[in-house]
Amino acid sequence: MERRIFLQRSLVVGAGLAISPSLLSYPKKPELMEKITILHTNDTHSNIETFPSTHARYPNQGGVARRYAILKEIRKTEKNVLLFDAGDIFQGTPYFNKFHGELEMKLMTQMGYDCATMGNHDFDAGIQGFLNAYQYGDFPFVCSNYDFSNTDMKGVTKAYQIFENGPFKIGVFGLGVALEGLVAKASYQDTVFQEPIPIANRIAKHLRFEEDCDLVICLSHLGYKPKQFNDNDQLLAAETENIDLIIGGHTHTFLPKPEVHLNKRGEKVLINQVGWAGLALGRIDFYLGEKKKHKRHELVLV
């Protein structure tokens, strides 16, 4: 037995931080359904403070304090909330140069992040540097296609994480970009990159049918559609099954709203990415409808 999932889209702007379009729509009144709110960021790149008023493109925008204020307001009004990050937490401001990721981990823990995946810049201080910073983080990292068996990261990350939030059971896994030629070999040691699409199909199938997850979410640092890489989120959506939502990163793409793509079975999968530097907070609300006889999720957009 499978639940039917409905989606609603909206756009909210507050306190200088944009909330990316995302509430979803429904053929019934939402008060008759259970709802879960998925919040997400990507490529925050150690941007802690608000951009200065003199900034050419983003004056007085972004900042951890504003994001935290918005998160607190959302959590006051919504009972089922999860917060994710799609990688490249590190590198980009003097805060990283000075504190080497410790501050970012402390702040993400305080903001209540539930899960994250690693981006290529999260290796910039090396694996030992990441581990030194991560001792201040209190949330799991899911890195499904990086094999850390022969590195100091062995046993630190997970292939996937399952969250039981209200009536929902959500399975989350993460995919990282190929590191060779992008990151110094000394920084990622003997990490083995595994092709993401076979891994994604295997884990998503396991989460859907073995773990009986209502939602399957991929935190992807493959990029939206990067020309220089073979793997990307659009290809991931087209060549996989059983994924409901791909939360992207790596290419700093501001999507004006979540995109709907078709998977291998012709079923709908969402892709969303919210730029960089913490300028936007993605939000997608899923509504849990009646149980259905078939193992299928339907995303209905208005």
Side-chain angles (χ1 to χ4, degrees):
M1 300 292 285
E2 187 71 19
R3 296 179 175 91
R4 191 178 183 187
I5 302 296
F6 300 98
L7 201 56
Q8 181 185 4
R9 184 188 303 123
S10 75
L11 175 63
V12 183
V13 178
L17 183 72
I19 300 183
S20 179
S22 354
L23 287 176
L24 293 173
S25 102
Y26 39 84
K28 296 181 180 181
K29 293 182 178 180
E31 60 265 22
L32 300 178
M33 299 181 183
E34 292 286 349
K35 180 173 70 170
I36 186 162
T37 298
I38 305 298
L39 305 175
H40 62 93
T41 53
N42 60 273
D43 299 279
T44 51
H45 282 296
S46 302
N47 279 272
I48 308 301
E49 297 184 11
T50 300
F51 278 80
S53 59
T54 55
H55 195 275
R57 295 190 64 184
Y58 308 115
N60 298 317
Q61 295 182 45
V64 166
R66 285 175 169 168
R67 191 190 324 162
Y68 186 40
I70 290 176
L71 290 169
K72 288 195 294 184
E73 288 303 310
I74 292 173
R75 288 172 174 139
K76 283 181 183 178
T77 58
E78 305 294 347
K79 62 180 181 179
N80 301 317
V81 179
L82 289 171
L83 175 61
F84 302 128
D85 187 87
D88 273 7
I89 297 163
F90 295 165
Q91 191 62 267
T93 73
Y95 283 105
F96 179 71
N97 301 335
K98 174 67 174 178
F99 300 108
H100 311 294
E102 175 184 334
L103 181 59
E104 291 88 323
M105 290 294 182
K106 287 180 175 178
L107 290 171
M108 288 180 71
T109 298
Q110 186 174 349
M111 285 186 283
Y113 274 80
D114 293 286
C115 192
T117 196
M118 290 180 72
N120 51 291
H121 282 290
D122 298 320
F123 292 89
D124 280 3
I127 281 181
Q128 191 56 54
F130 177 86
L131 292 173
N132 290 340
Y134 189 38
Q135 64 181 311
Y136 301 99
D138 188 20
F139 54 93
F141 274 80
V142 286
C143 299
S144 310
N145 68 320
Y146 289 156
D147 181 355
F148 292 118
S149 298
N150 295 319
T151 77
D152 295 335
M153 286 279 287
K154 182 179 179 180
V156 174
T157 66
K158 300 181 177 183
Y160 61 83
Q161 179 75 31
I162 294 174
F163 298 90
E164 296 194 36
N165 198 299
F168 291 88
K169 191 174 185 180
I170 302 97
V172 182
F173 68 100
L175 296 175
V177 67
L179 300 173
E180 185 177 0
L182 190 63
V183 178
K185 181 68 167 65
S187 294
Y188 65 88
Q189 298 179 3
D190 290 324
T191 300
V192 177
F193 169 82
Q194 299 172 311
E195 289 299 325
I197 289 176
I199 296 287
N201 270 312
R202 177 174 60 80
I203 292 180
K205 182 178 180 180
H206 173 80
L207 292 172
R208 176 73 80 217
F209 296 108
E210 301 298 322
E211 301 289 352
D212 197 28
C213 290
D214 299 301
L215 285 173
V216 176
I217 298 174
C218 176
L219 306 182
S220 166
H221 203 78
L222 300 178
Y224 171 68
K225 192 179 178 182
K227 295 180 180 179
Q228 66 268 44
F229 302 114
N230 292 326
D231 302 309
N232 58 75
D233 291 342
Q234 294 186 35
L235 181 65
L236 177 67
E239 295 296 322
T240 57
E241 301 175 8
N242 302 305
I243 300 173
D244 296 297
L245 171 63
I246 298 170
I247 294 173
H250 189 45
T251 46
H252 299 192
T253 307
F254 282 101
L255 292 178
K257 61 183 179 182
E259 292 185 346
V260 181
H261 292 253
L262 298 181
N263 70 9
K264 285 180 67 176
R265 291 203 302 255
E267 297 174 342
K268 295 174 183 177
V269 53
L270 291 180
I271 297 175
N272 203 25
Q273 188 176 154
V274 291
W276 72 292
L279 290 162
L281 176 69
R283 172 174 177 168
I284 298 177
D285 290 341
F286 289 92
Y287 288 86
L288 185 62
E290 300 172 354
K291 287 189 175 182
K292 297 294 177 180
K293 294 181 179 179
H294 303 292
K295 283 274 184 181
R296 183 169 180 267
H297 286 255
E298 183 175 357
L299 302 175
V300 183
L301 298 182
V302 173

